[in-house]
Amino acid sequence: LQHDSNAGVRLKALDGLRPFAADSEVRKVLTGVLLSDSNPGLRTQAIDLLTESKTQQPLVGVLQELLRTEDNNYIRLRCRKVLQDMNASVEMY
């Protein structure tokens, strides 16, 4: 997921991690994908996996950061929606 140059392979790896999305180490990897993968589809899937878990509080800062730095409008909208659904501010403090 973190090192293969083929986006299709990375997507399959992401799908394979779905059952383990609540694990703290997997969440770190998913957060890394969210912040740095070049493929917007993978970043979107990472948002979905990270928000499926009940452990969302640490995610707030990451999503707020993405709102500030992300170039892809769809991903920015997803971040905004997830933050609103979590009753979290869209602004960083």
Side-chain angles (χ1 to χ4, degrees):
L1 177 60
Q2 293 177 298
H3 305 292
D4 200 287
S5 61
N6 184 314
V9 171
R10 293 194 315 272
L11 185 58
K12 285 292 186 185
L14 190 71
D15 286 340
L17 290 175
R18 184 172 299 278
F20 310 103
D23 179 83
S24 63
E25 290 300 314
V26 173
R27 293 182 70 72
K28 286 179 191 175
V29 171
L30 293 173
T31 299
V33 169
L34 182 58
L35 293 173
S36 64
D37 198 280
S38 62
N39 186 296
L42 280 160
R43 294 194 313 269
T44 301
Q45 288 294 319
I47 291 171
D48 292 344
L49 284 178
L50 286 165
T51 56
E52 285 177 2
S53 172
K54 301 291 184 208
T55 314
Q56 295 180 355
Q57 193 58 33
L59 185 59
V60 170
V62 173
L63 294 174
Q64 290 170 336
E65 173 74 15
L66 274 176
L67 274 175
R68 193 173 59 78
T69 61
E70 177 62 52
D71 292 333
N72 185 291
N73 286 333
Y74 178 75
I75 293 174
R76 288 175 51 108
L77 287 172
R78 287 282 294 130
C79 290
R80 182 176 294 277
K81 169 113 176 59
V82 168
L83 286 167
Q84 289 171 341
D85 289 348
M86 294 168 65
N87 292 323
S89 172
V90 295
E91 302 294 327
M92 288 188 80
Y93 293 101

